[in-house]
Amino acid sequence: MAASPSFAAPVPLGAPRRAWLTDLPLLLVAVFWGGSYLAAKGITTGHTVVAVLVLRFALVVPVLVAAGLRGLRALTGAQWRGAAVLGAILAGIFLLETYGVVHTSATNAGLIISLTMIFTPLAEAAVTRTRLAPGFLGAAGLSVTGVVLLTQGAGFTTPSLGDLLILLAALGRTAHVLAMARIKAVRSADSLSLTTVQLGTAVLVFAVLAATGDGASPWSAALGFGPREWAGLVFLSVFCTLFAFFVQMWAVRRTSPSRVSLLLGTEPLWAAVAGIALAGDRPGPLGLAGALLVLGGTAWGRRTADTDGR
């Protein structure tokens, strides 16, 4: 449950024997992101979604502001506005993801959200009026078939509300990527400042919703937390957000974008592992077949897209 910032071009890859020093932290980020669906599900109810989001990011934004104050001061008005628009989109994504995971399994959430890797090239091709390779279209078809089977693990039924919300979140992630590419002002902004403004805007959106909605307030939600809930919140804030962001900033200067994408692209695999091993998710034969199709289709699609881009 994270949105990756954009980065400048990295330096060339270092010696192969040292690659694991970069790969391991990136793999940990993917593991943390995969576990974030289960963590969010464990501390959130339909009544506390907005409150938990306020708490999660209110813990993060001050650290980012302190770390990148000079960069924030250097942003132009256009960059602030562009980042704020991206932040509003990001707020919608987090709302959809968090409400979605409340109403579906952590396994389903992590696998369905991975369709972003398929939706984004499809949407980009539609916007730019370019033709995708037949291999990518095959990968897209495989992934969509996998999601259909995944959501029908107990027999063919209507997908749950949570499944549909996570699907909308995947479309939201696609819109966020396309907007980031098309808002010219943000292209020259450094990733730390851009992420800080986006998350700050998202927190403002969540705070307004908390103040005007009928859900629990952040204060009452915090008072109701026990050790398990606070541990889950710290995990989401520190490991899935702060640690993930700074590892990406560090790693992208030491390895290639394809390697970063490959390692972070294992997120849905870890979501499935966490859901099945820790939460007792039982997708059934159809669901397991669907999970394998989603993982295979998104991996195939990512490789095809990378090959076409070179």
Side-chain angles (χ1 to χ4, degrees), residues 183-260:
I183 299 177
K184 295 181 180 179
V186 303
R187 294 178 190 171
S188 57
D190 71 276
S191 56
L192 177 55
S193 299
L194 182 60
T195 300
T196 302
V197 176
Q198 287 185 78
L199 291 183
T201 302
V203 169
L204 288 176
V205 171
F206 302 146
V208 170
L209 292 176
T212 58
D214 57 0
S217 70
W219 179 252
S220 64
L223 289 177
F225 279 180
R228 183 178 69 87
E229 287 79 13
W230 277 111
L233 186 66
V234 169
F235 173 73
L236 290 170
S237 298
V238 176
F239 294 98
C240 298
T241 308
L242 281 178
F243 174 81
F245 173 73
F246 286 110
V247 163
Q248 288 177 91
M249 284 191 66
W250 168 80
V252 80
R253 293 173 173 84
R254 290 164 174 79
T255 187
S256 67
S258 336
R259 199 173 186 94
V260 172

Side-chain angles (χ1 to χ4, degrees), residues 1-2 30 32-42 56 93-117 119 143 146-152 159-171 173 236 264-276 279 281-283 287 290-291 294-295 298:
M1 297 177 66
F32 292 153
W33 282 356
S36 67
Y37 300 95
L38 185 58
K41 188 174 181 68
R56 173 182 176 179
I93 295 168
F94 278 115
L95 286 167
L96 288 168
E97 285 184 355
T98 311
Y99 274 113
V101 81
V102 169
H103 297 290
T104 190
S105 68
T107 300
N108 278 24
L111 290 166
I112 293 172
I113 202 69
S114 70
L115 286 178
T116 302
M117 290 182 280
F119 291 159
S143 299
V147 167
V148 172
L149 293 178
L150 177 69
T151 59
Q152 308 302 314
S160 71
L161 172 63
D163 294 332
L164 296 175
L165 290 173
I166 296 294
L167 186 62
L168 288 174
L171 292 171
R173 284 195 185 193
L236 290 170
L264 295 183
T266 63
E267 173 192 350
L269 172 63
W270 301 113
V273 169
I276 293 171
D281 291 346
R282 295 293 179 264
V294 171
L295 292 171
T298 51

Side-chain angles (χ1 to χ4, degrees), residues 48-89:
T48 62
V49 166
V50 176
V52 168
L53 287 171
V54 171
L55 293 171
R56 173 182 176 179
F57 293 108
L59 295 176
V60 170
V61 172
V63 178
L64 294 178
V65 170
L69 189 58
R70 181 178 298 179
L72 287 171
R73 288 172 175 168
L75 291 178
T76 66
Q79 288 172 330
W80 275 94
R81 290 190 294 273
V85 169
L86 293 173
I89 298 173

Side-chain angles (χ1 to χ4, degrees), residues 13-24 250 254 259:
L13 180 65
R17 67 186 180 85
R18 297 179 57 191
W20 69 271
L21 293 173
T22 303
D23 290 352
L24 182 58
W250 168 80
R254 290 164 174 79
R259 199 173 186 94

